[in-house]
Amino acid sequence: MRSEKMNIVTIICHDMGRYLGCYGIERFRTPNLDEFGATGIRFENSFCTAPECSPSRAALWTGRYSHANGVIGLSHAGFKNDLNDGERHLADILNNEGYDTHLFGIQHVSPNPRRCGFKNLHNDDQIESCPGVAQKAREFLLNYEKTESPLFLQVGLFEPHRPFLHDDVEIQDLQLANIPPYLPDIPEVREDMTAFEASCSSADKAFGRIKEAIYANPILAENTIVIFTVDHGIAFPHAKMTLYDPGIETALLMQIPGIEGGKVYSEMISNVDIVPTILDLLGLSSPDNLHGKSFCNLIRGEQYSPRDSVFAEKTYHSYFDPMRAIRTNNWKLIANFEFTPYQETSPDYLNNAKSYPEIAKALTLNIDLENFHFYHPPFELFNLKDDPLEQKNLAEHQEYTEVRDSLICRLRQWMIDTKDPLLKGPVPQQCYVERMNTFMRIGSG
């Protein structure tokens, strides 16, 4: 395997989870990503560390959990969460290693895209549908000429974030909708799922055009690591904004020069593992403070100790909703630290979350009061082998007390080891800090 001055191209989507044909999702038109996964490397148990955009991306690109790197909530608009001083995005790390760093599309880690460290910003972090972003990245790649500096290129696609843009794809018939088994089969869900599928298909087309440009340029074709991933699960109830598997499961596909393709790995991978793995592939040392674990030896076929667990967290999305989770191969333990609604949603029902209230109504009509909570219970424990949809909370069942308490102890130790500020009390996001400072300043002389 080559490790000297390899180029890197990463493509990341919003809110896609693992909704690709190569992950067994039927009737999803994703041929480019399916082919890429089939000829490259696919990780079937890849998870993010947070079920929302900015915290997940910040963890991915720093290799450090969001409660440690500062991005405990969204970075855009009035939320204003940002990386703490001293935190380093992969682009910044690679700048110091002589890389020429470029960003196309969105980054969604910092209110200021330059904070991430990219030397070259190609659209100033403005939201643009993926056909336009792909065209700009494609032109750049086709015209790329060899320099002394290797290339790090990140492409951030908005799709398939709500409201499910699909500029270049027609929506399929509602009868073809693939309804997740944890959602009710109602017209609103079918409408949303077909729009979501079309948006995924649009992202797939964009990926195909970018990949084609990489391999059409002889300077890049033989010496470029190509990575596709997503930030978190799909934007539906029981998924995004929750720590259930549909909220934290992610697609992760790679093609690496010198590494044989056509491989599928079942080992658990966390998105904090991606930065140390990339640095390992490049023959570069990782910063000492990274939380992630390189899986480079796994894909090299060398001795590797797989993870026995992954951790996930949520502190803020629209509001303070702190929770932490540990997931093993067979068990999931979620600790909920506030008495908040079981499912957060957007207030923009007409545009951004139109199916959410109808889903809530449909679920209420068929509710199992013994296992359903309108508000978060203190703990949720799921046997993933017997209950993969995470429907039956075993946390208060006496026969599972030992399992529950063991996982609680492991989760608490992880929070201690990673210096989770939540252990010391509620954590304000940057919006609160700035507004309180303004409030105290006005009229104070």
Side-chain angles (χ1 to χ4, degrees), residues 75-197:
S75 66
H76 70 292
F79 300 103
K80 299 186 177 181
N81 293 290
D82 204 347
L83 294 169
N84 291 331
D85 292 343
E87 295 292 337
R88 302 182 67 195
H89 189 288
L90 177 61
D92 182 43
I93 295 172
L94 292 180
N95 281 338
N96 288 353
E97 299 293 341
Y99 273 74
D100 184 24
T101 56
H102 294 256
L103 172 68
F104 287 85
I106 58 173
Q107 47 84 28
H108 212 352
V109 169
S110 170
N112 177 7
R114 296 195 177 278
R115 171 66 182 86
C116 297
F118 290 96
K119 293 177 182 176
N120 303 279
L121 303 176
H122 291 270
N123 70 337
D124 200 26
D125 209 35
Q126 298 300 306
I127 291 177
E128 180 180 2
S129 62
C130 61
V133 174
Q135 181 59 28
K136 292 175 183 176
R138 176 182 171 83
E139 290 176 0
F140 173 85
L141 290 163
L142 287 173
N143 295 310
Y144 180 78
E145 297 181 353
K146 189 174 182 61
T147 67
E148 293 183 0
S149 300
L151 172 68
F152 172 53
L153 174 67
Q154 180 182 317
V155 183
L157 302 178
F158 180 78
E159 289 83 346
H161 195 287
R162 287 178 182 267
F164 302 140
L165 303 179
H166 49 89
D167 292 354
D168 54 349
V169 176
E170 293 291 327
I171 290 181
Q172 296 186 114
D173 188 278
L174 292 181
Q175 297 304 312
L176 295 176
N178 189 316
I179 309 299
Y182 49 85
L183 293 180
D185 188 351
I186 57 176
E188 291 81 4
V189 172
R190 284 189 170 270
E191 182 180 343
D192 260 9
M193 283 303 298
T194 52
F196 170 67
E197 187 278 337

Side-chain angles (χ1 to χ4, degrees), residues 170-423:
E170 293 291 327
I171 290 181
Q172 296 186 114
D173 188 278
L174 292 181
Q175 297 304 312
L176 295 176
N178 189 316
I179 309 299
Y182 49 85
L183 293 180
D185 188 351
I186 57 176
E188 291 81 4
V189 172
R190 284 189 170 270
E191 182 180 343
D192 260 9
M193 283 303 298
T194 52
F196 170 67
E197 187 278 337
S199 196
C200 290
S201 182
S202 183
D204 177 79
K205 283 189 172 184
F207 172 84
R209 300 190 71 203
I210 295 166
K211 186 197 74 168
E212 182 184 53
I214 295 168
Y215 295 114
N217 186 332
I219 295 171
L220 299 172
E222 301 298 327
N223 198 34
T224 300
I225 299 170
V226 184
I227 300 173
F228 173 84
T229 192
V230 306
D231 51 9
H232 52 70
I234 66 176
F236 286 83
H238 200 73
K240 180 179 180 178
M241 299 181 287
T242 81
L243 297 184
Y244 306 121
D245 273 8
I248 62 173
E249 61 187 18
T250 56
L252 178 59
L253 311 172
M254 295 182 172
Q255 289 192 358
I256 304 167
I259 295 289
E260 182 182 358
K263 298 288 186 66
V264 178
Y265 293 101
S266 60
E267 288 81 355
M268 285 191 293
I269 302 294
S270 170
N271 70 353
V272 289
D273 300 337
I274 291 176
V275 164
T277 300
I278 289 174
L279 295 176
D280 207 354
L281 286 168
L282 298 175
L284 303 173
S285 59
S286 293
D288 293 336
N289 66 346
L290 297 195
H291 294 137
K293 168 188 173 70
S294 171
F295 52 89
C296 190
N297 279 0
L298 172 65
I299 55 184
R300 283 174 171 160
E302 299 175 2
Q303 186 174 357
Y304 173 75
S305 298
R307 283 178 168 274
D308 64 0
S309 60
V310 294
F311 297 91
E313 63 183 296
K314 177 186 175 186
T315 305
Y316 285 93
H317 191 260
S318 300
Y319 53 78
F320 187 54
D321 191 18
M323 59 183 75
R324 302 292 187 259
I326 178 173
R327 186 200 192 278
T328 69
N329 284 316
N330 294 325
W331 293 95
K332 165 82 69 64
L333 184 285
I334 302 173
N336 299 297
F337 298 108
E338 275 285 1
F339 191 66
T340 47
Y342 78 98
Q343 175 64 57
E344 181 180 348
T345 186
S346 167
D348 184 7
Y349 294 122
L350 294 179
N351 179 53
N352 200 40
K354 57 188 175 182
S355 66
Y356 275 66
E358 299 306 320
I359 291 173
K361 292 176 188 176
L363 291 176
T364 301
L365 291 175
N366 297 286
I367 209 163
D368 176 2
L369 290 175
E370 180 181 355
N371 295 306
F372 188 83
H373 298 274
F374 289 99
Y375 291 86
H376 292 317
F379 301 109
E380 296 175 80
L381 177 68
F382 301 103
N383 183 331
L384 299 176
K385 184 177 180 181
D386 297 337
D387 179 26
L389 299 181
E390 296 162 286
Q391 300 291 306
K392 186 175 182 180
N393 181 12
L394 304 175
E396 301 304 321
H397 290 226
Q398 188 172 359
E399 61 267 41
Y400 297 106
T401 298
E402 185 176 349
V403 174
R404 182 199 66 186
D405 291 355
S406 173
L407 291 171
I408 289 173
C409 289
R410 292 183 63 186
L411 181 61
R412 184 172 62 236
Q413 190 60 51
W414 167 74
M415 295 174 70
I416 293 170
D417 292 343
T418 58
K419 297 180 172 58
D420 192 333
L422 201 63
L423 290 168

